[in-house]
Amino acid sequence: MRLIFLRGALLALVVAIWELIARPLDPVLYVAPSTLPQAALRLLNQPDIPPLLEHLGATVRAILAAYALAVTAGLALGFLMGFWRVVARAYEPILAALYAVPSVVWYPSMMLLFGLGTASKVAFGFLLGFFPIVLAVLAGIKQADPHLLTVATSMGASRWAIYWKVLIPGMAGTLAGGLRSGLALSVVGVLAGELLGSRAGIGYMINHVYNLLRTPEYVALAVLMATLVLAVDSAAGRLEARVKRWTG
Amino acid sequence: MTAEHIVVRDVRKTYQTATGPVSAVEGVSLTVHAQEFLTILGPSGCGKSTVLAMIGGLVPPDGGTIVVNGTAARRPDPKSVAMVFQDPGLFPWRTALHNVWFGPELQGTARSAREEAARRLLESVGLKGFESKYPRELSGGMRQRVAIARALALGSPILLMDEPFGALDEQTRILMGEWLGGIRLQARKTILFVTHSIQEAIALSDRIVVMTARPGRVKDVVSVSLPYPRDLNTPDAVALRARLWSQIREESLRAMAQEQA
C-alpha cells in the first residue's frame, strides 16, 4: 500500500514538473500533460485521423499472432533440442549469438519477405519473442537438479515420466520468466514493425500523427502504449511470481 | 521366498576421471537376509555409496554379480527396492502428500487408493497434519521422514538407505535412528544402510560390514547382538565401538593419505 502511494506520488510529481516546464513553451514541441485528454478525445473521432479503436485492434491481433507463433516455435524447438543433446550442443551457441544481434537489423529483410502488411510486423514480433522462450527452455533443462532425476529414476520413472513430472515442473519458474520476456519482446517487435513501415496499427498511427506534427496526439498515443505494455507486463509478472512460488 | 534378499558377489567398479581411472569398489561380496538390518560402515569416499547405487540398479557394475530379490539388478526395480538418499530429494513443487504418492502415481495407481496409502504413511512417520505442506516449509528431519514415507509407498520389501541422516544435526540424527528402528520392526523391511557413523551403525544394525578405504573392499563383518532398545553405554556396546573405531581409524588414515598423495 505504501509502495503504491510512493509510486503514485512520483508519477504526480513528474506530471506536475512536466506541466510546469511545458506550459510557457511552444505547444508543438513541448506537449503539456493537461492537453492530453483533449488529444485523446480527438483520436477517438476525428475525420482526418484514423479511428483509434480499429488500429488498436489491429495491433493487439498482431501481437497475439506473433506471440502465439513465438510460444509454439520456442517451446517446440527448445524441447526438441532438450531431447537430442547433440542438436542442443550444436545449435545453442548459434541461437545465443543470434539473440545478441540487435534485432532491428532483421527488419528490412522482414519487409522484403512479407511486405508492408500484417505479415511483416507479425514476423518481427515473432522473431523477437521467440529467442527468450527457446533459450529459457534450454536453460530450464540444463538447470534441472540431477539428484531429483536420480530419485525419480530410482522409483522406476520412464524417460517420458521424468520429462513431464520432474523436468517440466522443475523448470516452470524459468519457463515463466522466458514466456514473460517473450511477450514483452513480441509487443516491442509488433510496435516497432508498425513504426518502421506498415499501414495499420498503433505504431502506424503514431507515425501518422507525428508526421502531421500533431504532437499532443502523438504523446497521447505514446502514453496509451506505455500504459498498455505496463499493464500486460505486470500481469505477466504476477503470473510468473506465482509459478515461482509454486516451484519453490 | 529365499532367506537371502541381496547377494553381491565380487563386484567391481572403476570410474573414469580427468586424471585417469579410479577404482572405487574392488571385489566386494556381501549378503543381506530377509528382514535383516545390515549396515555398510566405512570412511568417506570408500565406495560404499557406489555399492548401494549398483544394488539399486542406478549404476552398472564393471564386474561381478548382484542378485536382488531373486533377479539380477540391472535397472531400478521399484517392486523390489526403494532408495533413500542423504539429500531427501523431495520435489519442491509437490506437497508432502503428493511427494509420498509419486511412486504409486508412476505405477498408475488410482488417485483415491494412492491418497489413502500416502495419508496412512505420513501418519506412520509422524507427519499427520503436514500433508499439504511444501518441502520448504518442513524441517530437515521432517523432510527426510517424507522421503522415507515416499520410499515406503513403493511397497518394496527392500530399503536401501544412503546416509539418510548424514545431513541432520546430532540430536535429530539420534532421534531419527530410534524412529527408524521402530518403523523397521513395524514394516518388516530388509534394510541395507550406509553410514560413516559408528554410533549409528551400532544403534541400528543386526550386522555391520566394515569397508576399507578406496578401492573399497570388505574388511570385516560384525554381528551385533545387543538387545533393543540399545544402550550404547553398556560394556558390550563400548567394546564393539572400540573395535569398530580401531578399524575405521586405520582406514580413515589411509583415505587421508590417499587424498594428500
Side-chain angles (χ1 to χ4, degrees):
Chain A
M1 205 54 217
R2 236 172 72 194
L3 283 178
I4 293 171
F5 176 76
L6 284 173
R7 280 174 199 155
L10 177 68
L11 190 65
L13 187 70
V14 168
V15 171
I17 293 173
W18 177 8
E19 181 76 35
L20 277 174
I21 295 175
R23 244 292 150 103
L25 300 170
D26 181 349
V28 174
L29 293 181
Y30 303 91
V31 179
S34 55
T35 61
L36 292 181
Q38 283 160 310
L41 280 178
R42 282 202 299 280
L43 285 170
L44 278 178
N45 47 7
Q46 284 277 305
D48 64 319
I49 288 176
L52 175 69
L53 289 180
E54 205 174 285
H55 289 276
L56 186 63
T59 299
V60 169
R61 278 195 300 277
I63 289 171
L64 289 179
Y67 187 55
L69 285 171
V71 170
T72 314
L75 293 182
L77 188 66
F79 282 109
L80 275 178
M81 285 168 80
F83 263 115
W84 286 289
R85 293 286 155 76
V86 197
V87 183
R89 273 213 298 279
Y91 298 133
E92 197 189 342
I94 301 178
L95 274 180
L98 283 177
Y99 186 39
V101 176
S103 10
V104 200
V105 305
W106 309 120
Y107 192 69
S109 41
M110 292 293 134
M111 278 205 290
L112 287 174
L113 281 172
F114 298 108
L116 284 179
T118 315
S120 69
K121 62 187 181 189
V122 169
F124 199 50
F126 158 77
L127 192 66
L128 262 65
F130 163 77
F131 283 104
I133 297 173
V134 69
L135 291 174
V137 175
L138 291 174
I141 290 174
K142 231 183 280 173
Q143 85 194 5
D145 181 347
H147 183 57
L148 293 185
L149 302 183
T150 304
V151 167
T153 308
S154 80
M155 290 195 278
S158 63
R159 197 168 169 182
W160 186 249
I162 283 182
Y163 242 86
W164 280 106
K165 294 182 192 294
V166 185
L167 275 177
I168 292 178
M171 70 196 276
T174 310
L175 200 55
L179 287 170
R180 179 189 175 186
S181 311
L183 178 57
L185 284 175
S186 280
V187 171
V188 169
V190 167
L191 285 173
E194 288 178 348
L195 272 166
L196 290 169
S198 77
R199 288 190 222 92
I202 297 290
Y204 160 76
M205 266 186 96
I206 289 178
N207 231 355
H208 178 82
V209 294
Y210 179 74
N211 286 335
L212 294 175
L213 269 186
R214 305 183 67 140
T215 42
E217 280 88 338
Y218 156 66
V219 174
L221 280 171
V223 170
L224 173 72
M225 256 0 277
T227 315
L228 268 179
V229 170
L230 269 178
V232 169
D233 191 59
S234 74
R238 217 161 292 168
L239 258 165
E240 183 193 351
R242 267 183 81 153
V243 171
K244 287 206 165 128
R245 253 205 319 280
W246 173 60
T247 57
Chain B
M1 194 169 86
T2 77
E4 291 164 345
H5 249 161
I6 302 173
V7 182
V8 176
R9 284 280 164 268
D10 198 27
V11 153
R12 291 181 305 280
K13 183 72 197 179
T14 302
Y15 285 113
Q16 302 301 326
T17 68
T19 53
V22 171
S23 176
V25 177
E26 206 171 86
V28 165
S29 298
L30 55 88
T31 303
V32 189
H33 301 286
Q35 291 183 35
E36 183 178 30
F37 195 122
L38 186 116
T39 296
I40 301 178
L41 178 67
S44 309
C46 73
K48 51 196 192 298
S49 293
T50 303
V51 171
L52 213 66
M54 290 191 287
I55 295 171
L58 289 173
V59 172
D62 293 335
T65 57
I66 300 173
V67 176
V68 176
N69 209 16
T71 53
R74 289 211 180 79
R75 62 186 68 85
D77 177 10
K79 284 193 182 61
S80 293
V81 176
M83 296 185 79
V84 176
F85 304 88
Q86 177 172 351
D87 176 343
L90 297 179
F91 303 113
W93 55 87
R94 284 176 172 244
T95 61
L97 190 70
H98 292 205
N99 262 289
V100 173
W101 80 34
F102 186 79
E105 181 182 321
L106 289 177
Q107 291 160 7
T109 310
R111 188 180 161 122
S112 57
R114 66 179 194 240
E115 170 156 7
E116 204 223 291
R119 283 188 187 281
R120 199 163 22 80
L121 280 165
L122 274 178
E123 192 177 345
S124 78
V125 301
L127 289 176
K128 192 178 168 61
F130 291 88
E131 290 84 357
S132 53
K133 295 280 184 215
Y134 284 91
R136 62 178 169 278
E137 301 171 302
L138 301 172
S139 70
M142 289 165 131
R143 277 181 217 161
Q144 196 53 280
R145 278 186 280 164
V146 174
I148 292 170
R150 181 175 63 181
L152 293 174
L154 293 170
S156 56
I158 299 168
L159 202 53
L160 306 181
M161 307 184 89
D162 188 359
E163 304 206 27
F165 311 138
L168 304 176
D169 60 73
E170 183 71 22
Q171 300 89 302
T172 313
R173 191 181 174 123
I174 292 170
L175 292 175
M176 289 289 287
E178 288 177 4
W179 170 81
L180 180 66
I183 282 281
R184 173 226 168 180
L185 295 176
Q186 213 181 75
R188 304 180 162 275
K189 299 282 182 188
T190 302
I191 298 180
L192 179 54
F193 192 93
V194 162
T195 186
H196 58 249
S197 161
I198 296 170
Q199 301 271 31
E200 204 168 64
I202 297 174
L204 297 170
S205 323
D206 297 322
R207 280 192 304 150
I208 299 171
V209 170
V210 183
M211 274 182 74
T212 65
R214 203 166 52 214
R217 293 191 198 84
V218 174
K219 186 180 175 81
D220 195 8
V221 181
V222 183
S223 287
V224 187
S225 49
L226 303 167
Y228 290 101
R230 284 184 176 161
D231 179 353
L232 298 186
N233 298 314
T234 61
D236 282 352
V238 172
L240 181 57
R241 194 159 75 206
R243 172 178 167 189
L244 291 170
W245 170 236
S246 75
Q247 293 178 336
I248 288 293
R249 184 184 140 82
E250 214 176 290
E251 295 307 320
S252 298
L253 286 171
R254 273 185 52 204
M256 283 168 73
Q258 278 174 5
E259 272 166 26
Q260 280 156 17

